[in-house]
Amino acid sequence: MRWKNRPPGANWGDFGPDDQLGRVNLIGREQILKGAAEVRDGRSFCLSLPLNLPGGNLLNARRHPPRLEPTYREGKPVVNFPMARIDRDSIDIVSDDQVLICLQYSTQWDSLAHVGARFDADGDGVEETVYYNGFRADEHIKGPVHYGQGDEESGCGCDGPNLSFAEALGIENMAVHGMQGRGVLVDLARHFGDERKLIGFDELQEVMQVDGVTVERGDFLVLRTGFAEAVVRMDGKPDPDVLHHTCSVLNGRDARLLEWISDSGIAAICADNYAVEAYPAAEMHGKKSILPLHHHCLFKLGIPLGELWYLHDLAEWLHQHGRHRFMLTAPPLRLPGAVGSPVTPIATV
C-alpha cells in the first residue's frame, strides 16, 4: 500500500489499491444505457468553445492560446506544398500542420494528477506530497524540479523527451475508459443571470428543486453559469476584471455542499466557468486548501472536473423541451502522462 492514512472523507482504496479512475469507475454499462435512453430527438450539441478562447493570457499568465504552424519537409513548410517537388508528375498539393497548445487553456478536463496535497499518508507524523489514492509526487507524477520543504532540486528523470510526465493518474486513463454516460444539467444562469454569486448547498438544492432536477449515482453533473457565454461575447479579448466578478461559482468552503458531492455519487462535475469553484476561496485561518473543491473532488474522491464548457445552446434546447438529462460523450485526448486535456464534449438528445 502507498498509504496507511487516507484523508477524512476520502474513498482511497474503495475501487482497489491501484485505482487511477476514482469515481469515473461508476460510469459503467448501466450509465451508458441511461445516457443512450436520453437520445430521443437525434440532435447533438457541441459543448466546446473554440480552443483559441478565452484569448490572450490575461486570465492565466501561464496559459497561452494554441499556436498552429506547418510541419516541414527538407526545411520547407508543408502548407500548399506541391508534391511535384517530390515527383514532377504529381498533381497533389499537401498541407500538414502541428500545434503548440496549453492543455488546460480552453474547454478541458482536469485529471486526478492535476491537484494533490501535503498529507501524512504514511502515518508517521510527516506530511508527504501525494495525489488521489496515495500516488506520490516525483515517484509517480514527475517534473523537472523537485520541490522540497522550501528547497528546490533538479529534476526527477522524466520519460525520454518529456519534461513532465504523470506515470499514474494521467488523462489517458479517462480516455481509455471512454467518459460517456448520462449528463444532468443544472442551469444556474437561468436563475441568477450574470450576477456573481457563491453557490453553496442551499442555493444548488433550491435550483434543482424548483427545476425538478435529480442526479443519480454515476451521472455527470453539468453546471451552466453563463461564464463561457461572457467569454464568447468578448471575442478573444477577455476582460479579467469583468470575468472575475461575473456569474455563479461553487463555494468550495461550504461543507454541506462538499458532503452532498460525496453522498450524491456523481462521477464528474463539468462547468462552463474557469475553475468550477470560486478562486481564491473564501478566507479561512490555519492550514487549508486554497482550492477546496478541487481538493475534495480530485484529491479525496477522484472526481474529475471539466472547465470552460459551452452550454448555452444545449441549455436553451433542454429548457424548451422540459428536459434536464442527455447523453454525454466527452473523452479527453489519449495522451499518456498529461495532467489535463482539451475536450470536445458532445451532448446528444
Side-chain angles (χ1 to χ4, degrees):
M1 291 288 288
R2 287 175 302 279
W3 51 272
K4 293 182 180 178
N5 289 338
R6 70 179 186 179
N11 62 5
W12 294 10
D14 288 1
F15 298 107
D18 298 316
D19 173 58
Q20 298 185 42
L21 284 173
R23 289 256 283 260
V24 171
N25 283 288
L26 301 181
I27 308 171
R29 295 175 62 187
E30 181 181 357
Q31 283 306 116
I32 294 173
L33 291 172
K34 286 181 178 179
E38 297 296 331
V39 180
R40 308 170 201 166
D41 194 71
R43 182 183 300 240
S44 63
F45 296 88
C46 175
L47 307 185
S48 176
L49 290 170
L51 292 184
N52 59 352
L53 293 182
N57 68 332
L58 292 179
L59 291 182
N60 187 325
R62 304 188 316 275
R63 296 177 181 172
H64 300 268
R67 181 177 184 268
L68 289 164
E69 65 175 86
T71 60
Y72 291 85
R73 184 165 189 157
E74 298 178 351
K76 302 298 182 182
V78 182
V79 170
N80 306 319
F81 183 86
M83 292 300 285
R85 293 195 171 205
I86 309 302
D87 181 336
R88 64 182 182 180
D89 293 326
S90 174
I91 63 171
D92 306 301
I93 304 297
V94 173
S95 295
D96 189 43
D97 56 1
Q98 57 191 328
V99 63
L100 177 65
I101 189 169
C102 293
L103 297 176
Q104 292 164 281
Y105 180 77
S106 186
T107 304
Q108 63 175 277
W109 276 119
D110 290 343
S111 82
L112 306 187
H114 179 49
V115 171
R118 297 284 300 172
F119 174 72
D120 178 17
D122 291 342
D124 58 3
V126 178
E127 293 180 338
E128 294 81 36
T129 307
V130 292
Y131 292 80
Y132 170 77
N133 217 6
F135 288 101
R136 304 298 175 102
D138 299 332
E139 180 182 352
H140 301 108
I141 290 81
K142 298 182 176 182
V145 173
H146 168 71
Y147 293 101
Q149 293 283 50
D151 299 321
E152 297 179 11
E153 300 175 6
S154 61
C156 46
C158 294
D159 177 43
N162 297 302
L163 293 179
S164 63
F165 199 86
E167 293 188 356
L169 305 178
I171 201 75
E172 72 276 12
N173 294 288
M174 293 165 58
V176 170
H177 187 78
M179 302 305 288
Q180 184 177 57
R182 185 172 66 186
V184 181
L185 181 77
V186 178
D187 196 343
L188 300 172
R190 191 166 297 280
H191 289 262
F192 303 118
D194 289 342
E195 174 191 356
R196 176 70 169 187
K197 186 174 181 63
L198 279 177
I199 303 297
F201 174 81
D202 290 337
E203 293 81 5
L204 181 65
Q205 293 304 305
E206 179 182 355
V207 169
M208 292 176 66
Q209 184 175 9
V210 168
D211 288 351
V213 179
T214 58
V215 296
E216 297 175 0
R217 176 183 168 92
D219 283 341
F220 293 85
L221 176 65
V222 181
L223 303 173
R224 179 194 177 212
T225 71
F227 186 94
E229 295 153 48
V231 167
V232 169
R233 289 194 295 269
M234 291 180 178
D235 195 25
K237 299 176 182 177
D239 184 333
D241 291 333
V242 172
L243 289 175
H244 289 322
H245 297 89
T246 193
C247 297
S248 300
V249 63
L250 292 187
N251 181 3
R253 293 274 186 243
D254 187 329
R256 294 173 69 210
L257 175 63
L258 300 185
E259 182 180 2
W260 178 82
I261 290 171
S262 295
D263 295 342
S264 67
I266 56 174
I269 302 177
C270 320
D272 64 352
N273 59 14
Y274 203 69
V276 184
E277 65 178 313
Y279 177 78
E283 187 55 52
M284 67 176 291
H285 298 293
K287 295 187 70 173
K288 59 185 178 294
S289 170
I290 63 172
L291 290 163
L293 188 132
H294 280 65
H295 179 82
H296 188 74
C297 291
L298 296 176
F299 176 64
K300 287 187 175 184
L301 299 178
I303 296 177
L305 301 176
E307 301 172 5
L308 281 174
W309 292 28
Y310 182 75
L311 302 171
H312 173 270
D313 298 344
L314 170 67
E316 289 297 310
W317 191 93
L318 291 174
H319 178 69
Q320 291 169 12
H321 292 80
R323 292 175 56 181
H324 308 285
R325 294 173 169 177
F326 52 94
M327 185 170 191
L328 179 63
T329 304
L333 297 176
R334 190 175 181 176
L335 179 57
V339 303
S341 171
V343 60
T344 304
I346 298 295
T348 310
V349 295

